[in-house]
Amino acid sequence: MADRVAPLDLIDVDSLHSEEELQIRAVVRRLVADRVRPYVADWYERGEVPVRELAKEFGALGLLGMHLSGYSCAGASAVAYGLACMELEAGDSGLRSLVSVQGSLAMFAIWRYGSEAQKEQWLPAMAAGDAIGCFGLTEPDHGSDPASMKTRARRDGDDWILTGTKMWITNAPVADVAVVWARTEDGINGFVVPTETPGVSARTIKHKLSLRASVTGELVLDEVRLPADAVLPTARGLKVPLSCLTEARYGIVWGALGAARDCLDTAIDYATTRVQFDRPIAGFQLTQAKLADSALELEKGYLLALHLGRRADAGALRPQQVSVGKLNNVREALTIARQCRTILGANGISAEYPVMRHAANLETVLTYEGTSEIHQLVVGQQLTGLSAFAS
Ligand SMILES: Cc1cc2nc3c(=O)[nH]c(=O)nc-3n(C[C@H](O)[C@H](O)[C@H](O)COP(=O)(O)OP(=O)(O)OC[C@H]3O[C@@H](n4cnc5c(N)ncnc54)[C@H](O)[C@@H]3O)c2cc1C
């Protein structure tokens, strides 16, 4: 038997990275091997995950708000952050979601649009994993079309009164602080809401068949009284929460590759040891075709992610380019996961192997942070100059 080459080594992607990037990748890969892989199938089956414990461990390694600077954040490059997302999602999409929501949504919103006092109050604690954040944009009746949101904030003297319901909010039931988007008489504004404030409650969403190693909730804001300085002072208009989503989607471009890589590694290991008709199933041409096609898509997705990461580090990444990456890499990761599942036969549907878990998770990843259809429309608008969104 000839030597085996790992899918991403086929085109030698390591040669495209600096030593520092490879070291960061190795550190996160080890963390996932030690602290995630042995436990994640059980968390997934029970639908329970030790978010606080993990957040502190991720914080200690500098993974929370990793690409932000100052306020105890690591100030890493976009590529290094992407590699961390890839390794985390090779463990489970739920854990990458924890890091994305904390760093790219909640912390980024405060870091980019918050007052100095808001930054000082929240960012160091969030970077350490001592405070958990969530990001409330989606509502029960408004997902892809957040411009129609019903959540309202009105003035009462100097205070704000916030009322509405946010749905499908990652970490809402365990969060210490929620960044909530609401309509005011000036348009859409962001509010920093400590979850202990009277009138704030969160219900855990049960019965999920995807992203089970992640806590998801409904966030209810019932006449929540907030001080004048709860508003994010420089956040005006829908483009602001959308800019936060661009940050998080960039992490998904890399993260989805991690899930796909783990599926492919598992399928190759399985196929080389599973014997049918007196030979390893990896020796059948149909199996090799699946593995080869999957490896190709993984490699192409990697080159795309790296290109976008280098553009981000050069300060030149546009949101539409992130849509290209999210649309392609999540869609292809899902195809790879499904192909790999077939290679494992009946074992492919078991939680003893990670493949079905990744495939189920990727169904969420396909939908959140802009559905695949919405990203097609973004790309379509770029190509034609015509918006297919507007009613
Ligand atoms: C596990 C999980 C965690 C999440 N975490 C968060 C979070 O932390 N914070 C947050 O704010 N949100 C979160 N979300 C919500 C997520 O962002 C939304 O589910 C997503 O934006 C889609 O909205 P929707 O589910 O309401 O679907 P809808 O908007 O109702 O869409 C349903 C279908 O219609 C299609 N569609 C809609 N409009 C168009 C159009 N113009 N043209 C063509 N097709 C269209 C969609 O593509 C989709 O296929 C999470 C979701 C999940 C599942």
Side-chain angles (χ1 to χ4, degrees), residues 135 137-138 143-144 168-170 211 364 367-369 371 373 377:
F135 183 90
L137 180 64
T138 304
S144 300
W168 295 107
I169 306 306
T170 301
L211 217 72
T364 286
T367 286
Y368 71 8
E369 314 262 349
T371 66
E373 293 82 3
L377 297 183

Side-chain angles (χ1 to χ4, degrees), residues 10 67 72 81 98 112 115 124 155 167 184 186 203 208 246 272 318 322 350 365 373 389:
L10 270 175
H67 62 308
S72 307
Y81 174 53
L98 165 61
R112 175 77 178 75
S115 66
R155 284 282 196 183
M167 194 66 179
T184 70
D186 298 332
R203 175 185 67 86
K208 285 185 303 175
T246 298
T272 48
R318 287 188 280 115
V322 180
S350 168
V365 183
E373 293 82 3
F389 293 84

Side-chain angles (χ1 to χ4, degrees), residues 51-52 132-134 168-176 195 201-206 214-219:
V51 173
R52 288 207 167 267
I132 309 269
C134 69
W168 295 107
I169 306 306
T170 301
N171 285 342
V174 292
D176 302 287
T195 53
S201 60
R203 175 185 67 86
T204 300
I205 295 176
K206 304 272 189 199
S214 171
V215 184
T216 316
E218 178 188 37
L219 185 68

Side-chain angles (χ1 to χ4, degrees), residues 182-248:
R183 188 174 298 289
T184 70
E185 56 187 22
D186 298 332
I188 289 170
N189 285 84
F191 293 85
V192 181
V193 184
T195 53
E196 62 186 15
T197 314
V200 179
S201 60
R203 175 185 67 86
T204 300
I205 295 176
K206 304 272 189 199
H207 311 300
K208 285 185 303 175
L209 297 175
S210 168
L211 217 72
R212 289 179 58 74
S214 171
V215 184
T216 316
E218 178 188 37
L219 185 68
V220 178
L221 306 142
D222 182 10
E223 297 281 305
V224 177
R225 181 174 289 275
L226 297 168
D229 61 7
V231 73
L232 290 170
T234 63
R236 291 270 184 284
L238 189 63
K239 65 179 189 309
V240 171
L242 296 185
S243 75
C244 303
L245 290 171
T246 298
E247 293 289 306

Side-chain angles (χ1 to χ4, degrees), residues 320-334:
Q320 297 84 351
Q321 296 171 334
V322 180
S323 288
V324 172
K326 197 218 171 209
L327 175 60
N328 183 77
N329 286 11
V330 179
R331 207 162 55 179
E332 295 306 329
L334 194 50

Side-chain angles (χ1 to χ4, degrees), residues 27-38 87-88 90-91:
V27 167
V28 184
R29 192 175 286 185
R30 204 171 318 122
L31 170 83
V32 170
D34 294 344
R35 290 293 298 121
V36 176
R37 284 190 193 280
E87 294 305 325
L88 287 165

